[in-house]
Amino acid sequence: MLILLYTARMPEVKVLNEKLLAGLPPGTWVAISEDQERVVGTGATIEEALREAKEKGENKPSIIGVPVDGSALIL
């Protein structure tokens, strides 16, 4: 029998401040700063949001999609 043991630490999960997404139109892609305190990029595509974030010096943003139904998809 083979037993695998996962020893790496799970990443810390923060609760996203919903105010960061307030007023963003459905379908928008949003780049959130690594500290999850600021919107550092937005766009119609993931690539646009990432490009804007990188232009602002943010190297590890979280990417969030704002769907039509008002929920959020975090990548």
Side-chain angles (χ1 to χ4, degrees):
M1 175 187 333
L2 176 64
I3 298 175
L4 300 176
L5 178 61
Y6 186 131
T7 59
R9 288 183 58 129
M10 294 298 291
E12 179 181 342
V13 176
K14 293 184 178 181
V15 175
L16 181 66
N17 181 345
E18 63 189 44
K19 292 179 183 179
L20 290 175
L21 302 181
L24 293 171
T28 301
W29 288 96
V30 182
I32 304 292
S33 61
E34 188 173 2
D35 64 7
Q36 298 183 359
E37 298 291 328
R38 300 169 286 117
V39 171
V40 292
T42 60
T45 65
I46 293 171
E47 292 80 11
E48 288 176 11
L50 279 173
R51 183 176 57 245
E52 189 174 322
K54 294 204 184 277
E55 287 172 359
K56 293 180 179 177
E58 190 67 40
N59 294 319
K60 295 182 180 181
S62 296
I63 300 298
I64 300 171
V66 183
V68 177
D69 68 2
S71 62
L73 173 63
I74 302 174
L75 303 177

